[in-house]
Amino acid sequence: ANLLEEIQEGVINGQAPRVKELTQTALDQGMGPQTVLNEGLVPAMAVVGEKFQKGEFFISEMMISARAMYSGLNLVKPLLLSQKAESKGKAVVATVQGDLHDIGKNLVCMMMEGGGYEVVDLGVNATPDKFVAAVKEHRPDFVMMSALLTTTMANMGKTIQALSDNGLRANLKIGIGGAPVTQRFADSIGADFYAADAGEAVTKANMLIS
Ligand code: B1M
């Protein structure tokens, strides 16, 4: 198998030290950090999700795979951030209330930082009140929300409502994403944009800020 396939297998099998080693080898061989990320580490998590859905994997295995993914991600991260320019704007980013999935959210933070934005990461399980407090404190240009569960998607709408109720909506550009999220859903809750992946989050932010 080639290196990218081996990285995928390592993540699926939850082998953190192996994924770290393979990722380092790939980078040492001159493979681009984006390639390692988008063709090695990230697609593996989709396979993990399928296995969970089929009942082949339990939550413990999903967690071990996530840990293996992070062992590679931690090596790729500094390389993606190295071309940082001066700040183009500020984004508050978090996974919404009730939702603990943080890999996609962390990729959005990384890509936004790499794309020249200042990022305030509120972590996971961020309540509407937490977003409101952060927007008051940091006065960002963007709020970006991530949700991976159909049950927590609704909290994106609640957060937008809370921002409106507090008079903070007008100057804010709100973007949403995550596996179950769609453009149609974004329209239905009054978000300014939807992004299918972390790279697109940056492209759309760039379009809105220029
Ligand atoms: Co969870 N889980 N999980 N899980 N998990 C999913 C999401 C699921 C689809 C698996 C499945 O059944 N096939 C399913 C959801 C079903 C549904 O609601 N439709 C599910 C479930 C059911 C659950 C639990 C409820 C299981 C249980 O307890 N019975 C539970 C919920 C816990 C909670 O949140 N309250 C749970 C728990 C977990 C773990 C903790 C074990 C672990 C998370 C570890 C962690 O994040 N640190 C986990 C994992 C790993 C997954 C899967 C396998 C992988 C998610 C992931 O990291 N993907 C996932 C299966 C899947 O997604 N196919 C699954 C990789 C990541 C890069 O993709 O986050 O989509 P993603 O981000 C993408 C884009 O969506 C986009 O950019 C990224 C790529 O560049 N993006 C944005 C994301 N956010 C954005 C925001 C933006 C823009 C773009 O703003 C502008």
Side-chain angles (χ1 to χ4, degrees):
N2 72 32
L3 216 41
L4 290 169
E5 282 168 7
E6 285 185 58
I7 290 174
Q8 289 191 21
E9 276 165 28
V11 171
I12 296 163
N13 296 331
Q15 299 161 301
R18 181 161 167 76
V19 172
K20 187 176 173 187
E21 197 185 303
L22 289 165
T23 301
Q24 192 59 59
T25 307
L27 296 170
D28 289 346
Q29 287 181 3
M31 205 179 274
Q34 292 275 12
T35 308
V36 177
L37 184 66
N38 294 325
E39 294 172 35
L41 298 165
V42 170
M45 294 312 291
V47 178
V48 172
E50 283 160 25
K51 286 189 179 291
F52 177 71
Q53 214 158 15
K54 284 193 237 158
E56 288 170 25
F57 269 21
F58 296 104
I59 296 174
S60 51
E61 275 116 352
M62 277 208 285
M63 288 177 76
I64 294 166
S65 286
R67 195 167 62 201
M69 149 115 196
Y70 273 118
S71 72
L73 195 59
N74 288 336
L75 294 175
V76 168
K77 184 175 175 178
L79 300 173
L80 288 175
L81 299 184
S82 61
Q83 318 101 327
K84 203 162 157 183
E86 75 182 75
S87 177
K88 287 193 233 165
K90 199 188 278 187
V92 162
V93 185
T95 302
V96 296
Q97 183 169 20
D99 203 317
L100 304 175
H101 296 87
D102 68 357
I103 297 176
K105 183 268 298 169
N106 287 339
L107 288 179
V108 171
C109 290
M110 269 170 54
M111 296 302 286
M112 284 294 287
E113 278 183 45
Y117 290 90
E118 205 180 317
V119 172
V120 180
D121 180 357
L122 303 182
V124 298
N125 192 22
T127 59
D129 284 350
K130 191 165 185 182
F131 278 100
V132 167
V135 170
K136 281 183 184 161
E137 185 185 345
H138 301 286
R139 297 284 158 189
D141 305 281
F142 297 97
V143 162
M144 295 186 170
M145 292 184 265
S146 181
L148 267 287
L149 300 171
T150 42
T151 48
T152 57
M153 279 166 75
N155 294 331
M156 295 177 146
K158 287 186 187 152
T159 302
I160 295 179
Q161 188 59 51
L163 291 165
S164 297
D165 292 347
N166 284 274
L168 299 166
R169 178 73 182 91
N171 297 319
L172 213 51
K173 292 160 193 81
I174 299 179
I176 64 170
V181 177
T182 59
Q183 179 65 54
R184 182 197 277 246
F185 178 72
D187 295 340
S188 77
I189 61 167
D192 295 302
F193 67 98
Y194 157 74
D197 58 47
E200 197 178 309
V202 181
T203 326
K204 294 213 165 157
N206 288 342
M207 274 158 55
L208 287 166
I209 207 141
S210 58

